[in-house]
Amino acid sequence: EPEVTQTPSHQVTQMGQEVILRCVPISNHLYFYWYRQILGQKVEFLVSFYNNEISEKSEIFDDQFSVERPDGSNFTLKIRSTKLEDSAMYFCASRPQGPSREQYFGPGTRLTVT
Amino acid sequence: AQSVTQPDIHITVSEGASLELRCNYSYGATPYLFWYVQSPGQGLQLLLKYFSGDTLVQGIKGFEAEFKRSQSSFNLRKPSVHWSDAAEYFCAVGAGNAGNMLTFGGGTRLMVKP
């Protein structure tokens, strides 16, 4: 069964450094998402992406964040200058066109900012 | 703005006992509703979804949920819990627009006693 994959599974970085989190959505899916989950807290929406542009973003998704679909298969989340509070599990999700709206989640990347 | 409340942070049940996890949502239109399960260190797996039709929906692993519009609820049930059901369960509501960001509840951690 096709699944969403994410790399790396764990990323450790120093405050102020740039990080890129990578996702490969399911191949025939058209909508892509990033969510994050700070340890012990709820899963929070960051951004949705469709037709090569952002369709919706949350207040968390400020100018330090950007997303890109560079090559038709990967979907990336970049954090330009990481802060301690960016430490979280980051989940990528995708969904196909159609009425059911169910999103398929990847296993996540744990980002630790020191 | 949409929101989801899961009133029970932790629930402990005995193996073989029945289970009900509560979920209340706030959304101005007909919601898209989902239950996801997260095992330790894992991503989010979809258990079941509701977006129209029969208000009692069946999911994987023997779970079901009932949409009650009058109570703004979408409670998850299982008649007989197995030790492998121990995990964290998240209820989510999806917006009706094309972007369809998901808003998650805080989660309920289920523990199963032998």
Side-chain angles (χ1 to χ4, degrees):
Chain A
E1 186 176 328
E3 56 186 24
V4 177
T5 60
Q6 291 185 242
T7 55
S9 57
H10 191 191
Q11 173 95 45
V12 181
T13 189
Q14 290 190 325
M15 197 167 50
Q17 296 296 303
E18 174 184 287
V19 294
I20 297 175
L21 309 183
R22 290 183 168 80
C23 168
V24 179
I26 295 172
S27 64
N28 63 343
H29 286 189
L30 300 178
Y31 295 84
F32 313 110
Y33 306 83
W34 284 101
Y35 293 82
R36 78 171 186 190
Q37 184 182 31
I38 295 171
L39 190 64
Q41 298 186 23
K42 63 173 68 176
V43 178
E44 301 173 289
F45 168 77
L46 292 178
V47 65
S48 59
F49 191 85
Y50 171 71
N51 200 25
N52 283 318
E53 62 182 25
I54 291 173
S55 50
E56 200 166 10
K57 61 182 180 179
S58 72
E59 292 175 353
I60 303 167
F61 194 87
D62 61 21
D63 292 345
Q64 293 299 311
F65 292 87
S66 62
V67 289
E68 194 177 34
R69 189 157 160 79
D71 56 13
S73 63
N74 290 283
F75 179 51
T76 62
L77 174 70
K78 183 193 291 186
I79 309 175
R80 288 190 184 83
S81 177
T82 50
K83 302 188 277 284
L84 294 175
E85 54 264 38
D86 293 327
S87 295
M89 182 74 92
Y90 288 81
F91 293 106
C92 173
S94 68
R95 73 168 178 93
Q97 191 91 1
S100 72
R101 308 295 176 97
E102 62 193 82
Q103 297 178 20
Y104 296 82
F105 283 77
T109 292
R110 178 160 297 286
L111 176 65
T112 302
V113 182
T114 61
Chain B
Q2 60 213 56
S3 66
V4 179
T5 301
Q6 293 179 247
D8 304 304
I9 298 173
H10 293 100
I11 282 186
T12 300
V13 299
S14 298
E15 192 168 16
S18 64
L19 170 70
E20 182 169 31
L21 302 183
R22 295 183 291 165
C23 171
N24 293 98
Y25 68 90
S26 172
Y27 184 64
T30 299
Y32 295 78
L33 293 162
F34 307 87
W35 274 99
Y36 285 87
V37 61
Q38 184 181 33
S39 297
Q42 303 296 309
L44 296 160
Q45 182 183 23
L46 181 69
L47 285 176
L48 46 77
K49 64 182 186 284
Y50 169 82
F51 60 99
S52 68
D54 193 347
T55 56
L56 184 63
V57 293
Q58 303 296 321
I60 63 171
K61 305 185 181 187
F63 286 92
E64 66 177 27
E66 187 170 12
F67 170 58
K68 292 185 177 180
R69 184 187 300 275
S70 61
Q71 297 176 22
S72 298
S73 69
F74 188 57
N75 294 348
L76 181 72
R77 300 194 293 249
K78 186 170 184 177
S80 177
V81 168
H82 188 262
W83 65 266
S84 61
D85 293 325
E88 185 136 27
Y89 291 80
F90 292 94
C91 181
V93 61
N97 60 12
N100 185 224
M101 57 169 278
L102 294 180
T103 298
F104 285 83
T108 297
R109 180 163 296 282
L110 173 66
M111 291 175 280
V112 181
K113 292 189 299 186

